[in-house]
Each structure stands twice: as C-alpha cells, then as structure tokens.
Amino acid sequence: MRHQPISETAMKLIILDRDGVINQDSDSFIKSPDEWVALPGALQAIARLNQAGYVVVVATNQSGISRKLFDMATLNAIHQKMHAAAQHVGADIDAVFFCPHNTDDNCDCRKPKPGMFKEIARRYDLALKGVPCVGDSLRDLQAGFLAGCVPNLVLTGKGKKTQEKGGLPPGTRVHEDLNAMVNALLHVPTDAPPSFSI
C-alpha cells in the first residue's frame, strides 16, 4: 500500500527554473555548453540553500530538443557543466526535470501545465503544498501555483517583462534575483531592496 506523501516539514524542497534564474537566458535558446553562463551569485545562492537543508531541483522547458536545435547528448553536456559549476562553489542540484516538447505537442509536462511538478512530487513522494518555486516567466509561476507551490518571481532573465505584464498568480513573491529570494526565504538581513509579495 502506498504511504502518504511526506509533509513539507519532513523534507525541505525548492524547485528552480533554469534559464533566467540560474544562468543567462537567450531568446535563441541555450544550445551548447559554451552558451551556458551562470548568473552572478546564483550558484552561491544554491549552495546557501543546501547549507540550510534544502534539496534543490530544476524544472525546465527545453523545446530546443523538439525544434532540433540541439540533441539529448548536448542537453546532458549543458547540465554536466551546470552540475560541475555548482559543485565548484559547494552547491548541489539534486535533479533536473525537463520537458523536451514544443507547444504543438500538447504534452502535460510543458510549463505552464503542472505535469513536471507532479512528477517531482511523485519522485520525491512529497506534497508540494508550500514548496517554493522560482522562475522568471509567467508559465514557471503558473505551473508551480497549479501544483500547490508558493510562486517566486525573480527579475533576472525575462523577469522584469513578466512583472510589467502582470497577471501573476496570487501570493507571488518578487525578488531582484535568486540571491535575494534566498535571503528572503532564509530571513537573512540585507541592505538590498526588499523582496515583496503581490
């Protein structure tokens, strides 16, 4: 018999988007390891999450696969670079979940649909209610919100445009970047502009 999901207090999980949150975004996609460049302070922020007991998971749309812009071997190489760069600063990304499909595929896993988040919940046997999710686009926040997560918008990547367009899910918290989000989550005093909720 399947046991009940672990309560969110038993395991601290956080779900991050990749492009525009951890690394620089590109309208023409990140198509090679050379194009993957970490945002300043992002990997160090992940290390601080790890030190505070958080399991860090990435959930990312990667339609470049179905668009034939890169293949699985290249995506794996990009993620190997990300893992290596994280480990270099003492950070650990526990897993990367990705959707390889295009909008036309009408899959359940492409954000803003919550399928990828539901898979994370199954994999970790964890209720996502109250779990923070972080993204720079509306679809990141919508997918997390539908799965029960607390949405956090960072103003890196497409974040400022996302904020300007509005329509954010109820309870969305807004932060300058991932480092500021971690400061707010861990209640770290800072001289930086405060994060705020909408």
Side-chain angles (χ1 to χ4, degrees):
M1 189 176 83
R2 183 174 170 80
H3 57 275
Q4 289 297 313
I6 306 168
S7 72
E8 56 267 24
T9 54
M11 173 184 171
K12 294 196 290 188
L13 182 74
I14 185 167
I15 303 170
L16 309 181
D17 179 46
R18 196 193 79 179
D19 302 331
V21 175
I22 298 174
N23 57 276
Q24 293 177 9
D25 198 8
S26 170
D27 289 334
S28 57
F29 298 88
I30 306 300
K31 302 180 295 298
S32 72
D34 287 343
E35 293 178 9
W36 188 92
V37 179
L39 286 167
L43 297 176
Q44 289 81 358
I46 292 172
R48 290 170 53 218
L49 287 167
N50 296 147
Q51 290 160 9
Y54 278 88
V55 174
V56 178
V57 174
V58 169
T60 175
N61 285 351
Q62 292 298 324
S63 66
I65 295 279
S66 64
R67 296 171 196 264
K68 310 283 191 221
L69 298 175
F70 50 86
D71 58 17
M72 278 300 307
T74 301
L75 183 63
N76 287 337
I78 291 169
H79 288 156
Q80 284 170 358
K81 180 179 180 181
M82 178 175 70
H83 284 296
Q87 288 165 4
H88 185 70
V89 298
D92 178 64
I93 297 168
D94 195 64
V96 179
F97 293 75
F98 66 91
C99 168
H101 306 113
N102 203 342
T103 313
D104 299 337
D105 294 329
N106 198 29
C107 64
D108 291 325
C109 52
R110 180 174 170 80
K111 297 181 282 185
K113 291 184 178 178
M116 213 168 356
F117 286 77
K118 290 179 179 178
E119 177 59 29
I120 291 169
R122 283 192 294 269
R123 187 79 61 89
Y124 287 91
D125 196 18
L126 183 74
L128 293 186
K129 181 174 171 55
V131 168
C133 70
V134 186
D136 67 319
S137 67
L138 183 59
R139 64 190 177 198
D140 301 326
L141 307 178
Q142 289 171 328
F145 179 76
L146 288 172
C149 296
V150 176
N152 289 265
L153 174 69
V154 288
L155 301 181
T156 46
K158 298 181 178 71
K160 289 182 180 175
K161 288 182 181 177
T162 301
Q163 184 185 32
E164 287 167 7
K165 286 181 182 175
L168 303 179
T172 296
R173 299 167 182 176
V174 183
H175 315 273
E176 283 297 316
D177 55 18
L178 184 57
N179 193 49
M181 186 272 161
V182 172
N183 283 341
L185 184 66
L186 303 182
H187 307 293
V188 176
T190 174
D191 296 330
S195 302
F196 56 92
S197 294
I198 290 180

